[in-house]
Amino acid sequence: ICRAAEGGMRDALSLLDQVLSFVGAGAPITADACVQALGIIDRRTVVDLVESILHRQAERALGLVREASNRGFDLKELGGELLAEFRHLAVAQVVKDPSGVIDLPMHGGEALKIRARLVGPEELHRIFHALMARLETLSRSGEPLLSMEMAVMALCLAPSETHPTPPAQQDPCSPPSKQSNSPALRDSSASEPRTTSGGSTLRRAPS
């Protein structure tokens, strides 16, 4: 409720009344009830989506995006929360106590540092900037679900800078190349004898 009210006391009281009306008289107020009543994105969804991207689990990431859409979440807001979470991971990699810099729930700092160890700093910055570019397209899209799905797939399937793709090897069944730059072959061809028109044999001096 505090996050949704952005620190405003009157807004928080108004949202609290909204949640009370949603759950009914005498019913307990839970985090899930707040999420459903206010239509806010719960942190568990954001964390699960981040972990899916870091582990390159495209199918799971797509399922989470589809589930968020079915629950009525604003996908542009989801993208913003996702971007903020990757920023939190970058902060956790450079500070000892993230809770002093990031507004996190209790014991959230240690869990954040554990997730931050799943990816290197260079790869994390690549993901952050790639996601930011995708969100700019999402903000103008008339099909936010499709745009968000393509965004998470691009992040999951993009080649990792920390694990470069090995160079392609020649198929052993393919025919050898007709031309070669091998010094041994060049020297061999250079030393082959040539026959002149008069029948005498000339040998090229090696270079």
Side-chain angles (χ1 to χ4, degrees):
I1 290 176
C2 291
R3 288 182 58 196
E6 297 181 351
M9 178 59 73
R10 291 185 177 180
D11 290 340
L13 291 174
S14 176
L15 293 175
L16 180 58
D17 288 338
Q18 186 175 336
V19 175
L20 287 171
S21 299
F22 176 82
V23 299
I29 298 178
T30 63
D32 289 339
C34 292
V35 168
Q36 296 177 23
L38 304 179
I40 58 178
I41 300 173
D42 61 296
R43 180 165 175 77
R44 185 70 259 167
T45 297
V46 177
V47 170
D48 287 345
L49 190 52
V50 166
E51 292 181 347
S52 298
I53 293 173
L54 294 181
H55 290 292
R56 298 181 176 275
Q57 298 171 334
E59 183 176 356
R60 182 188 179 208
L62 285 176
L64 290 169
V65 171
R66 180 71 62 172
E67 180 183 352
S69 177
N70 293 337
R71 293 170 64 182
F73 291 159
D74 185 341
L75 295 182
K76 296 177 183 179
E77 182 180 350
L78 175 61
E81 292 287 339
L82 192 61
L83 192 67
E85 186 65 18
F86 280 116
R87 175 262 179 189
H88 296 343
L89 292 177
V91 171
Q93 290 181 340
V94 298
V95 300
K96 293 183 178 179
D97 184 11
S99 60
V101 185
I102 306 170
D103 184 14
L104 294 172
M106 187 177 298
H107 308 301
E110 186 60 32
L112 187 69
K113 291 187 74 69
I114 293 175
R115 286 193 297 275
R117 299 190 193 108
L118 297 175
V119 61
E122 297 83 1
E123 178 70 4
L124 185 57
H125 281 75
R126 183 197 67 78
I127 293 174
F128 180 89
H129 290 292
L131 178 60
M132 181 180 290
R134 290 280 180 171
L135 291 183
E136 291 179 0
T137 303
L138 176 64
S139 64
R140 302 187 300 268
S141 174
E143 296 289 344
L145 175 58
L146 300 183
S147 298
M148 192 64 183
E149 287 178 335
M150 294 302 296
V152 297
M153 280 194 294
L155 294 176
C156 290
L157 301 178
S160 171
E161 294 182 0
T162 56
H163 299 85
T165 304
Q169 298 181 355
Q170 184 178 358
D171 186 352
C173 297
S174 62
S177 174
K178 294 182 179 181
Q179 296 181 351
S180 174
N181 292 326
S182 170
L185 292 179
R186 288 200 303 267
D187 291 343
S188 175
S189 61
S191 61
E192 288 181 357
R194 293 186 300 111
T195 303
T196 64
S197 58
S200 60
T201 301
L202 298 177
R203 182 177 297 274
R204 294 177 59 184
S207 57

